[in-house]
Amino acid sequence: MGIARSSKRLKLRSESSARFERGIDPNGVGDHAERAMELLAEVADGRVAGDAVDDYPAPVVPVRIHVRTSKVNGVLGTQLGDTQILDALRPLGIEVDGGGDDITAAAPTFRPDLEREIDIVEEVARRIGFASIGRAVARPREQVGGLSHTQRDRRIVADALVGTGLSEAVTIPLVSPADLERAGAPRDRLVEAANPLRAEESVLRTRILPGLLRSVAHNQVRGLTDVGLFEMGRVFFALPAGAVLPEEPTHLAVALAGAVHRRPIEADRPIDAFDALDALRAVLDALEVASGRTEAADRPGFEPGRAAAVVVDDREIGVVGELDGALLRALELAPPVVGFELDLDRLLAARRRDRVFQPPSPYPPSTIDLAFVVAEDVAAGDVAATLRAAAGDLLEAVRLFDVFRSEALGDARKSLAFALRFRAPDHTLTDDEVGEIRRRCVDAVAHAHGAELRG
């Protein structure tokens, strides 16, 4: 290496440097000297003196390397015997002895590159020829690392929201206490920053929506009125005295503002709470949550009568709806703005649907429409759940397609109209079968919700 470095530093590449940088045989000096004297006597009429003087106080001993037959075959993928390995090495000047997994190879001093067992394996490969080594596919090993189950689920959530047209945002976790109060976020367990970047943003967030709404306002001020953002991140709650770190659950928040542009297919319209519900359903469907629903409920930070609690596995994990007008005015946001915020940890821990494949039926469907007059406080989702339970396995789809209110229906009454589609896997449904399912559905909704069938 010293010769190679010097040659490169001096920019002097010669035959001598190329030869000697690879190493020379220290035990070959005598032989080389004899050859030189022979040439001098032959071409220059030189005369050779008497006995040669050889001052070599510490002769270099050949390196002795332990070689195993099993190692040679394991690396090369061959079935070589001891004799074949020894015969391959001897012509190279390598003295070998022993057999099996106890072969001793003495590397000649003119081969300073032979130091380890794997070097001898390489020499065997060269001698027998690479054409003699068969091809083999490496055995798969157990994967190390990769994404955890929770990380994969978080990517599924992000992909689902991006698929609905939203953009992911990353906001700073420091917010204003006033923003938290206006958004109805918890303020009893705030974590205060000792040295905040801005005096007014002095606490760690307990909700993501206040900071996300600031980003929406930032876009609207710059003329981007149609905004759809989402963020997954941690919120922070102070622990009781003596605790070292705060609680840091992960939340998911979505904020939509502006208008839905549908021209020329249909008229453009402002964003409404149902657009936030569509984004929520996209997340629930992507995760294949087994039991997820919304229940009408008033929550701080949302317009009364235009919000709903998000319930998963019979436990409330968040709220969805239209944001409170007072909050929007404080942030100088143009209404309407809708969105939701969920406890993402609880959502990802929810039960999932069974992934059971069902071949599509080749038989035609049977569809019916049912309109029920119910009390104003009866949720359409509860009626749909009752219809699913009553219809049984033959129900393929149920969809709410109309909500009607009129004085003719009575005080605090409304009409909910559902389209139901039935299909059997093995035959075409008869009128009697469909009629029986219809009767069960009507009776179940009437009994469970005090509904009347509207003609």
Side-chain angles (χ1 to χ4, degrees), residues 7-275:
S7 174
K8 186 175 182 180
R9 184 179 69 253
L10 299 173
K11 298 182 180 180
L12 180 59
R13 185 68 174 170
S14 65
E15 181 181 353
S16 178
S17 66
R19 180 185 302 276
F20 288 105
E21 70 184 16
R22 294 182 176 87
I24 59 174
D25 182 8
N27 291 336
V29 175
D31 295 336
H32 300 158
E34 290 181 1
R35 176 57 176 162
M37 288 186 288
E38 181 182 359
L39 292 175
L40 287 171
E42 180 179 343
V43 301
D45 197 22
R47 289 179 297 173
V48 180
D51 297 337
V53 178
D54 187 0
D55 188 7
Y56 192 9
V60 175
V61 179
V63 177
R64 303 183 70 81
I65 304 171
H66 179 251
V67 183
R68 296 163 293 173
T69 299
S70 60
K71 179 67 173 180
V72 174
N73 289 323
V75 173
L76 302 182
T78 55
Q79 300 292 330
L80 300 176
D82 298 343
T83 303
Q84 293 173 288
I85 294 175
L86 299 180
D87 291 344
L89 295 174
R90 286 192 179 103
L92 300 177
I94 301 174
E95 298 180 3
V96 288
D97 187 22
D101 283 352
D102 191 22
I103 298 175
T104 301
T109 54
F110 61 82
R111 291 293 306 274
D113 57 310
L114 300 181
E115 299 176 340
R116 302 170 299 165
E117 182 181 25
I118 193 64
D119 299 328
I120 302 299
V121 174
E122 183 180 359
E123 296 302 310
V124 173
R126 290 197 307 113
R127 286 284 293 136
I128 67 173
F130 291 109
S132 302
I133 301 174
R135 298 180 180 181
V137 178
R139 292 176 297 178
R141 296 183 178 180
E142 183 178 353
Q143 181 177 354
V144 178
L147 297 178
S148 67
H149 182 73
T150 299
Q151 290 171 326
R152 289 195 296 269
D153 281 348
R154 291 187 61 173
R155 290 198 176 188
I156 290 173
V157 171
D159 290 344
L161 292 173
V162 169
T164 63
L166 304 185
S167 300
E168 185 170 8
V170 179
T171 62
I172 62 173
L174 288 170
V175 296
S176 165
D179 286 350
L180 291 177
E181 184 176 6
R182 284 190 290 263
R187 300 185 65 249
D188 56 336
R189 297 175 59 189
L190 293 180
V191 179
E192 296 186 4
N195 53 344
L197 299 176
R198 300 174 60 186
E200 60 271 22
E201 296 176 346
S202 59
V203 297
L204 291 175
R205 63 191 180 192
T206 55
R207 290 287 186 273
I208 295 180
L209 264 178
L212 199 61
L213 292 176
R214 287 281 183 185
S215 296
V216 175
H218 182 84
N219 281 271
Q220 287 193 343
V221 167
R222 285 155 179 77
L224 302 175
T225 57
D226 303 328
V227 184
L229 301 177
F230 75 94
E231 181 177 1
M232 289 183 286
R234 295 191 180 278
V235 297
F236 305 87
F237 297 97
L239 289 181
V244 178
L245 295 174
E247 290 182 5
E248 301 181 15
T250 304
H251 278 205
L252 165 67
V254 165
L256 302 167
V260 176
H261 298 278
R262 295 287 295 164
R263 292 186 183 275
I265 301 173
E266 59 188 20
D268 296 342
R269 60 170 178 80
I271 287 283
D272 60 29
F274 292 102
D275 296 304

Side-chain angles (χ1 to χ4, degrees), residues 372 386 440-453:
F372 299 98
T386 302
R440 293 203 310 265
C441 291
V442 172
D443 291 347
V445 175
H447 180 267
H449 306 287
E452 298 176 3
L453 185 64

Side-chain angles (χ1 to χ4, degrees), residues 242-447:
V244 178
L245 295 174
E247 290 182 5
E248 301 181 15
T250 304
H251 278 205
L252 165 67
V254 165
L256 302 167
V260 176
H261 298 278
R262 295 287 295 164
R263 292 186 183 275
I265 301 173
E266 59 188 20
D268 296 342
R269 60 170 178 80
I271 287 283
D272 60 29
F274 292 102
D275 296 304
L277 277 172
D278 286 342
L280 174 62
R281 291 193 183 99
V283 171
L284 298 179
D285 289 342
L287 291 175
E288 298 183 332
V289 174
S291 176
R293 66 181 189 277
T294 57
E295 296 178 353
D298 291 337
R299 293 291 183 268
F302 289 80
E303 282 290 328
R306 299 182 183 178
V310 181
V311 180
V312 171
D313 292 342
D314 297 324
R315 183 171 61 173
E316 183 175 336
I317 66 167
V319 59
V320 58
E322 183 176 332
L323 277 300
D324 183 66
L327 171 63
L328 301 183
R329 287 190 294 273
L331 298 176
E332 299 181 353
L333 272 169
V337 179
V338 301
F340 63 80
E341 181 156 351
L342 311 176
D343 187 325
L344 187 59
D345 293 331
R346 292 184 178 181
L347 176 62
L348 299 185
R351 293 184 299 108
R352 309 300 173 90
R353 294 193 295 264
D354 293 334
R355 294 182 176 181
V356 179
F357 171 74
Q358 292 182 348
S361 173
Y363 298 94
S366 297
T367 59
I368 60 173
D369 294 342
L370 295 176
F372 299 98
V373 179
V374 296
E376 186 66 43
D377 60 353
V378 175
D382 294 338
V383 178
T386 302
L387 289 171
R388 291 190 186 94
D393 295 338
L394 295 181
L395 179 64
E396 194 171 68
V398 56
R399 178 177 60 89
L400 175 70
F401 68 87
D402 183 61
V403 179
F404 175 72
R405 293 176 176 88
S406 172
E407 294 180 358
L409 299 177
D411 187 30
R413 305 280 284 179
K414 63 183 177 182
S415 171
L416 302 176
F418 295 87
L420 293 87
R421 184 174 72 242
F422 307 98
R423 196 191 313 253
D426 54 355
H427 67 284
T428 301
L429 292 174
T430 64
D431 291 343
D432 292 340
E433 289 176 312
V434 176
E436 174 60 22
I437 298 173
R438 181 183 183 279
R439 182 191 63 78
R440 293 203 310 265
C441 291
V442 172
D443 291 347
V445 175
H447 180 267

